[in-house]
Amino acid sequence: MSLRAVGRGCFRGQALRIRHFAEERDMSESFDVVIIGGGPGGYNAAIRAGQLGLKVACVEGRETLGGTCLNVGCMPSKALLHASELYEAAASGELNSLGVEVQPKLNLEQMMKQKDASVSALTKGIEFLFRKNKAQWIKGWGRLDGPGKVLVTHADGTETTLQARDIVLASGSEPMPLPGVTIDNKRILDSTGALALAEVPKHLVVIGAGVIGLELGSVWRRLGSEVTVVEYLDRICPGLDDETAGALKRTLGKQGINFKLGSKVVSAQASSAGVELALEPAAGGATETLAADYVLVAIGRRPYTEGLGLETVGITTDKRGMLGNQQHRSEVPGIWVIGDVTSGPMLAHKAEDEAIACIERIAGHAAEVNYAVIPSVIYTKPEVASVGSSEQALKEQGRAYKVGKFPFTANSRAKINHEAEGFVKVLADEKTDQILGVHIIGPSAGELIGEYCVAMEFAASAEDIALICHPHPTRSEALRQAAMSVHGWAMQG
Ligand code: FAD
Ligand code: NAI
């Protein structure tokens, strides 16, 4: 279902309230900045613009602010990952082994309810931040209407024209469709459907061994599903450091996720009871069938530019439908682009960084996003976190580098907590010792990577980290030991 169709599904009462609001509004108000899209790109841009004293409006067509991330992405997925991890710790006997005897019973309805309540609190939090920073939310779908103009269509069909000196496009992304596998969000799901199932699938087939597939595959496996992940390539998580991806695949395999690598789904037949998939080897060959009661299609996301009115100002997209940018400027003066709708990793914190830099530039300040230091995290158990170059990327660049590795089995805190799977791997320039990339698979990897982001922003060497006092006993000591290992003197492993 398109974002607009979701937005149109509002209640009559809400539509009336919106109409009332529209009638009261100055029908062609002028702003310094109008932002289209209220996700992490758009809402952070609106807040920063408000802080800088710019008169700002953010046009968002959903019923709530927060975009994909808060409504159907980062936040609901993390809510289910957290709850399902606790459920599994109880159901697998892990808690019993610690002397905490429990007999858990899954209440899926409550698990979904607490997720929805958290999401609702977070989206309302953005509304509060808008009020606090004098950013105006214009509820409706916006489209460019020639230079300096945004036409907003409200849920009741009325329209408002906004004038703006600068316009920021932050319309985000949507799931990539797979030909032959039609998403109905009944049996064949996108991530939004897989975050809201009313029952635990007996057999969930996930198409795509990327971030969404592995996170949501983990959720449903923990809650009792058999999970099969079908991946076109002969590896999982393309782009992730090879060794780290290999370790993640092994550990997820041990947890019970089945992988069918080098395979493509060529068709899917959905019925009220389930789905029958036809699979072929990626390189071609004999077809096999696979039956599932639910299928999750997670083969990537694509920029969302539907109905943005790009043609009214002469902006074009590339072959993938993506908007180009030069330091957040589109090809048309006064129109800017940030977040998933433009190049770079499709991550909420990348959208946020671009939002800040873009608004600072609009306000006439200097600002830069350092694309070399954008961390990424996969919230499986154990977590995987990376920043900077992978080992294979350094090899391709012909860069001479050193590797320091430290296993969590040798980290006292991880060991005492019985979560000693994984390692920290630091890649540093052979001559200068500058840190070039860090890959962590292990407990709280997503929190740990922040230290190396700071280090890399300050162009630190591995030796800098090796010589910094870290608290004991913490997992962060593994970060220091890995840096020591770059120079061959890890003391505890
Ligand atoms: P979006 O968040 O997509 O927001 C764009 C908004 O624009 C939408 O609300 C849309 O309704 C609105 N819009 C579009 N067109 C118009 C229009 N014409 N008029 C008005 N409004 C419009 N990233 C992470 O960093 N960490 C994670 O853990 C993470 N988990 C994820 C889990 C899932 C299941 C998914 C799907 C994504 C996840 N992401 C995660 C990615 C993250 O959600 C995106 O990178 C981020 O939301 C991009 O922000 P954005 O503002 O560019 O776009
Ligand atoms: P992805 O790009 O992470 O992974 C897609 C996977 O599908 C790849 O492994 C790809 O090789 C595979 N694939 C592509 N076509 C295929 C086909 N026809 N058959 C089988 N496999 C195929 O995309 P995903 O998981 O959909 O996530 C989309 C975006 O959302 C990502 O870019 C990610 O950055 C973001 N996201 C981030 C999260 C995080 O930061 N923790 C969590 C979830 C999503």
Side-chain angles (χ1 to χ4, degrees):
M1 191 186 287
S2 80
L3 293 175
R4 276 153 199 283
V6 171
R8 276 199 297 271
C10 79
F11 304 112
R12 197 175 130 69
Q14 279 165 332
L16 288 174
R17 278 200 302 281
I18 292 161
R19 182 180 305 143
H20 180 62
F21 178 52
E23 278 163 3
E24 277 182 353
R25 196 170 35 235
D26 175 350
M27 298 317 270
S28 131
E29 209 174 337
S30 286
F31 292 88
D32 295 321
V33 187
V34 168
I35 298 152
I36 301 184
Y43 76 69
N44 281 298
I47 291 169
R48 189 70 192 121
Q51 286 177 339
L52 292 176
L54 297 169
K55 185 177 178 199
V56 59
C58 178
V59 184
E60 170 58 64
R62 279 180 206 269
E63 283 306 306
T64 46
L65 291 170
T68 303
C69 174
L70 267 61
N71 290 286
V72 289
C74 324
M75 301 324 300
S77 61
K78 267 76 250 179
L80 292 184
L81 279 157
H82 175 65
S84 63
E85 190 175 325
L86 294 179
Y87 173 74
E88 185 173 48
S92 67
E94 190 185 325
L95 290 187
N96 287 357
S97 75
L98 298 177
V100 182
E101 298 210 349
V102 287
Q103 284 184 321
K105 182 168 174 283
L106 178 63
N107 181 344
L108 186 60
E109 200 182 329
Q110 172 57 22
M111 201 178 273
M112 292 293 170
K113 242 188 186 157
Q114 60 83 31
K115 171 205 69 169
D116 294 340
S118 301
V119 165
S120 171
L122 289 169
T123 59
K124 288 205 170 64
I126 306 293
E127 285 184 45
F128 163 77
L129 292 173
F130 269 34
R131 285 194 296 274
K132 183 176 165 201
N133 293 290
K134 298 193 172 54
Q136 196 175 327
W137 173 16
I138 310 279
K139 214 184 219 185
W141 297 102
R143 62 191 296 272
L144 296 167
D145 191 22
K149 275 203 263 172
V150 173
L151 183 70
V152 183
T153 306
H154 305 285
D156 62 357
T158 57
E159 291 183 340
T160 309
T161 299
L162 310 175
Q163 316 264 358
R165 196 189 61 208
D166 288 287
I167 297 170
V168 180
L169 304 178
S171 52
S173 62
E174 61 177 352
M176 186 101 73
L178 178 58
V181 187
T182 311
I183 291 166
D184 57 15
N185 270 331
K186 292 191 179 91
R187 290 287 163 184
I188 303 182
L189 316 166
D190 58 16
S191 52
T192 302
L195 285 166
L197 283 175
E199 61 175 1
V200 177
K202 286 183 198 60
H203 184 201
L204 173 69
V205 170
V206 177
I207 308 177
V211 200
I212 292 179
L214 300 183
E215 288 188 357
L216 295 184
S218 290
V219 165
W220 292 108
R221 185 205 55 73
R222 291 169 190 170
L223 298 181
S225 300
E226 181 192 346
V227 174
T228 304
V229 179
V230 180
E231 165 61 47
Y232 187 81
L233 301 175
D234 57 5
R235 58 161 298 160
I236 67 168
C237 299
L240 181 63
D241 180 74
D242 283 351
E243 185 183 15
T244 312
L248 177 63
K249 179 174 172 285
R250 276 193 300 282
T251 181
L252 293 178
K254 271 194 271 166
Q255 291 170 15
I257 292 187
N258 310 304
F259 287 98
K260 272 187 168 298
L261 301 184
S263 300
K264 62 181 175 194
V265 173
V266 286
S267 69
Q269 203 62 48
S271 70
S272 59
V275 188
E276 182 131 319
L277 294 165
L279 263 65
E280 274 177 16
T287 306
E288 64 168 309
T289 56
L290 193 58
D293 46 351
Y294 291 95
V295 172
L296 163 60
V297 182
I299 59 163
R301 293 179 62 84
R302 64 181 184 189
Y304 183 73
T305 53
E306 191 186 311
L308 265 189
L310 299 175
E311 66 290 351
T312 69
V313 290
I315 293 184
T316 50
T317 59
D318 71 7
K319 274 195 299 224
R320 293 184 50 206
M322 188 172 282
L323 298 176
N325 84 87
Q326 287 288 331
Q327 291 166 320
H328 325 302
R329 287 185 173 87
S330 77
E331 62 214 85
V332 173
I335 301 184
W336 307 70
V337 288
I338 58 172
D340 280 12
V341 77
T342 189
S343 50
M346 288 185 170
L347 295 171
H349 44 280
K350 174 265 192 186
E352 177 182 351
D353 248 36
E354 290 183 336
I356 298 168
C358 172
I359 295 296
E360 295 285 351
R361 281 177 180 270
I362 287 174
H365 306 156
E368 212 64 60
V369 173
N370 181 0
Y371 289 95
V373 186
I374 294 180
S376 63
V377 179
I378 308 173
Y379 295 85
T380 44
K381 188 178 181 191
E383 288 181 358
V384 176
S386 293
V387 62
S389 298
S390 65
E391 209 173 336
Q392 64 268 21
L394 293 178
K395 282 192 181 124
E396 278 160 24
Q397 291 160 23
R399 185 103 183 229
Y401 64 93
K402 298 173 290 187
V403 186
K405 247 179 91 179
F406 190 79
F408 280 103
T409 44
N411 173 267
S412 56
R413 184 68 186 279
K415 198 128 179 81
I416 211 84
N417 285 3
H418 307 281
E419 47 183 25
E421 236 177 326
F423 54 78
V424 180
K425 171 170 162 179
V426 177
L427 305 168
D429 186 90
E430 190 170 65
K431 283 208 184 71
T432 66
D433 197 34
Q434 184 175 353
I435 300 162
L436 303 173
V438 179
H439 307 279
I440 308 173
I441 174 165
S444 306
E447 303 289 344
L448 293 176
I449 200 76
E451 172 174 337
Y452 272 104
C453 295
V454 175
M456 287 177 73
E457 280 289 354
F458 284 89
S461 64
E463 187 184 36
D464 288 329
I465 300 293
L467 295 177
I468 290 172
C469 187
H470 285 67
H472 173 77
T474 63
R475 301 160 184 106
S476 74
E477 289 173 284
L479 302 177
R480 182 184 193 182
Q481 295 289 326
M484 289 171 166
S485 162
V486 170
H487 300 280
W489 63 286
M491 294 170 67
Q492 291 157 13

